[in-house]
Amino acid sequence: MKAAIANAPQSKSSKKFLYARLHSLAGILPLGLFMAEHFYTNSMAMFGAEKYNEQIALLQSLPFLIGIEIVFIAIPLLFHAIYGLYLSFISNHNTASYKYTRNLTFFFQRISGVIIFVFVIYHVWSFRLSTAMTGTEVNYHLVSEHLQNPIIFAFYVAGIIATAYHLCNGLSTALITWGITIGKTSQKIALQVSMILFALMSALGVATLFSFI
Amino acid sequence: MIETKEKVLRFKIKRQNDLDAPSYWEEFHVPYRPNMNVISALMEIQRNPVNVNGEAVRAVVWDYNCLEEVCGACSMRINGKVRQACSALVDKLEQPITLEPMSTFPVEKDLVVNRERMFEDLKKIKGWIPIDGTYALDAGPNISSSEQQEAYKYSTCMTCGCCLEACPNVNSKSPFIGPQAMGQTKYFNMHPTGALKKEERMEVVIGDEGIANCGNSQNCVQVCPKEIPLTTALAELNQSANKYALTSWFRK
């Protein structure tokens, strides 16, 4: 018996596996769902200022809003962003030598992540933190005013496309991380579907931006 | 590809005199013969080690053995991409043909690298079937022919190192043991007797050096000269690692 105990697998103290899985989970469940909601809600601007303001007011009237924002958005977002940033810097990119589709999507996943990191800090500051501090009402007018500046508008186009890409490509790799798409063909089809989703999501996001000007 | 009409092949080789010595590029012209591969061109340089400037230099050294893409010794970066020099036909290569040693491994001299880390990794994942004991262990359970077919693909791994070289996440900043060891983990786990060590292998898979380092760039499966379905092995290991991590946590 003693020998069996000595030979039993020793659990290593590594937390890396746990962090990697939490990183994937955070990206899909709270953040992916939030992104779907966020893109949808904002697209209401295409139906006019009144419809948009109605939606914003509805969301802001949710009970426990601060709690929901902290638990389901802020914490997963901070963890996903910081751990993801660490991940993006430990890879040695080699797309110059190996121009395979997956290697390119892998590279863009990290590039888009860094773009989103900068974009989200700016975006959250503009429409959540600074407005909360000054007590400014967030509505169609405020967003519209903001987007009149062509540089900010371009930054938003980049941020939205990067976010759509990061989420959709991330979905296809999450299917591998969670052991769902195992074979070559299913992984390929998952990537194709995710790229269609990326195109649709980008189109919706950019169309929303144009409806503010 | 490019038709080779020239009588001379141009080679640009990244050389290094010793383990920690700085590297430098040297060019050679090699007389063309039909059906040459990179190895036969390197043999030509060995026979007549004179560079393009007409200087007699130390002959270029490289590793090779089987010359039929089964031993894994002659892996190098040819025109930027890692592959076996024996199966790299010069007629299909753009000139000048650049040869570099694999950068993931310590370079010992010219194109010779030390691939020992992969053999160390095979020890870590217990890359064997435990049959030794104090008594006879019998013939073991039968394996279906479809399982044999699947296992065969993984058995062709020749520890050449191409997958580690092409993987963006195998580098000095990351402890990842790489696709080769992951593929072999799947291989030994799927064997009914090999599965006796499955839990010990899974500890490595969910450990610091394990599968959490995989970023799904999938270069491994693209460069593998043996066409081993490494990404399938990785996805399957992801699945079993998730189950293993969860159940072992609940057993605590």
Side-chain angles (χ1 to χ4, degrees):
Chain A
M1 265 329 268
K2 257 191 178 164
I5 291 163
N7 285 336
Q10 295 292 306
S11 196
K12 299 215 177 87
S13 58
S14 167
K15 293 268 184 290
K16 193 170 208 163
F17 184 78
L18 177 69
Y19 290 154
R21 290 303 179 263
L22 284 177
H23 179 248
S24 175
L25 191 68
I28 295 160
L29 272 188
L31 297 179
L33 283 178
F34 170 63
M35 277 302 113
E37 178 276 315
H38 200 50
F39 272 62
Y40 174 77
T41 303
N42 283 319
S43 72
M44 292 301 118
M46 287 193 268
F47 303 101
E50 206 177 310
K51 183 82 188 155
Y52 179 80
N53 290 340
E54 222 171 77
Q55 280 290 324
I56 299 295
L58 177 79
L59 282 179
Q60 285 176 343
S61 69
L62 285 177
F64 307 115
L65 182 62
I66 291 280
I68 294 171
E69 282 178 320
I70 290 173
V71 175
F72 292 102
I73 304 171
I75 293 171
L77 185 62
L78 276 173
F79 173 72
H80 190 84
I82 293 166
Y83 192 71
L85 210 56
Y86 156 73
L87 285 183
S88 66
F89 286 110
I90 59 161
S91 296
N92 273 358
H93 293 288
N94 53 14
T95 44
S97 302
Y98 305 105
K99 293 183 186 71
Y100 308 122
T101 311
R102 275 286 186 190
N103 197 28
L104 292 169
T105 60
F106 167 88
F107 176 62
F108 295 143
Q109 188 71 359
R110 279 138 188 86
I111 295 291
S112 60
V114 175
I115 295 172
I116 298 164
F117 191 87
V118 179
F119 173 73
V120 168
I121 291 172
Y122 176 75
H123 179 58
V124 170
W125 171 254
S126 313
F127 293 122
R128 188 69 189 92
L129 298 180
S130 73
T131 52
M133 281 174 199
T134 56
T136 317
E137 196 196 335
V138 180
N139 54 23
Y140 182 92
H141 179 72
L142 184 77
V143 180
S144 176
E145 218 171 49
H146 210 72
L147 291 173
Q148 293 307 315
N149 182 336
I151 295 168
I152 292 175
F153 188 85
F155 187 42
Y156 266 79
V157 171
I160 279 173
I161 292 174
T163 307
Y165 175 80
H166 197 83
L167 174 60
C168 297
N169 183 55
L171 275 174
S172 80
T173 56
L175 288 172
I176 304 171
T177 303
W178 295 97
I180 295 164
T181 49
I182 285 175
K184 218 171 185 172
T185 310
S186 67
Q187 290 177 358
K188 195 177 161 187
I189 292 170
L191 181 63
Q192 287 164 345
V193 171
S194 79
M195 286 302 121
I196 294 170
L197 214 60
F198 160 52
L200 294 175
M201 210 174 156
S202 302
L204 182 74
V206 174
T208 302
L209 282 182
F210 276 104
S211 66
F212 280 103
I213 49 173
Chain B
M1 286 281 175
I2 290 176
E3 257 185 80
T4 316
K5 281 179 187 152
E6 302 146 85
K7 289 272 192 298
V8 159
L9 298 168
R10 288 171 295 139
F11 276 89
K12 214 179 148 205
I13 302 175
K14 196 177 186 183
R15 308 196 58 184
Q16 190 169 320
N17 290 338
D18 213 340
L19 191 62
D20 294 312
S23 61
Y24 58 95
W25 289 91
E26 196 150 59
E27 289 183 49
F28 294 90
H29 285 169
V30 175
Y32 173 78
R33 288 194 316 268
N35 304 324
M36 267 183 132
N37 62 10
V38 168
I39 300 260
S40 61
L42 282 167
M43 285 172 161
E44 206 55 57
I45 294 172
Q46 204 173 35
R47 230 170 265 140
N48 181 29
V50 174
N51 68 16
V52 278
N53 304 325
E55 298 156 345
V57 292
R58 179 174 62 72
V60 177
V61 292
W62 79 99
D63 249 347
Y64 71 103
N65 190 9
C66 74
L67 301 177
E68 54 178 4
E69 209 178 62
V70 292
C71 79
C74 66
S75 311
M76 58 182 74
R77 290 177 62 171
I78 300 171
N79 286 348
K81 276 188 190 173
V82 69
R83 57 186 295 186
Q84 307 304 123
C86 61
S87 56
L89 303 174
V90 294
D91 285 327
K92 291 185 176 171
L93 294 171
E94 219 167 303
Q95 289 199 48
I97 299 167
T98 61
L99 305 181
E100 297 162 78
M102 290 195 285
S103 53
T104 301
F105 302 92
V107 180
E108 300 213 317
K109 203 174 208 174
D110 295 342
L111 302 168
V112 178
V113 297
N114 184 342
R115 292 179 295 134
E116 189 162 351
R117 65 164 285 179
M118 287 190 290
F119 303 104
E120 289 304 318
D121 295 340
L122 285 177
K123 289 183 207 164
K124 284 180 197 156
I125 60 129
K126 302 197 163 36
W128 58 80
I129 311 284
I131 52 163
D132 291 335
T134 52
Y135 56 93
L137 290 176
D138 280 336
N142 282 341
I143 304 173
S144 74
S145 67
S146 67
E147 273 178 304
Q148 287 173 22
Q149 292 293 322
E150 193 191 347
Y152 178 73
K153 296 177 199 160
Y154 296 94
S155 75
T156 61
C157 178
M158 53 190 184
T159 328
C160 66
C162 289
C163 58
L164 278 82
E165 171 68 16
C167 177
N169 283 8
V170 174
N171 59 54
S172 51
K173 290 172 280 182
S174 142
F176 192 24
I177 57 175
Q180 163 253 357
M182 291 289 125
Q184 293 302 294
T185 303
K186 183 236 144 60
Y187 174 55
F188 289 107
N189 277 356
M190 76 177 287
H191 189 282
T193 313
L196 294 175
K197 292 216 175 284
K198 190 173 179 174
E199 293 203 346
E200 286 159 79
R201 295 192 193 102
M202 291 317 289
E203 282 297 322
V204 182
V205 173
I206 66 165
D208 210 31
E209 303 170 305
I211 203 155
N213 297 286
C214 172
N216 296 309
S217 77
Q218 303 202 334
N219 285 348
C220 53
V221 78
Q222 298 277 0
V223 299
C224 178
K226 307 309 288 185
E227 294 175 17
I228 298 171
L230 291 163
T231 47
T232 300
L234 283 160
E236 285 179 348
L237 276 183
N238 268 324
Q239 195 185 60
S240 41
N242 295 339
K243 277 184 199 150
Y244 177 78
L246 208 60
T247 48
S248 54
W249 188 78
F250 279 121
R251 274 202 210 112
K252 270 186 187 173

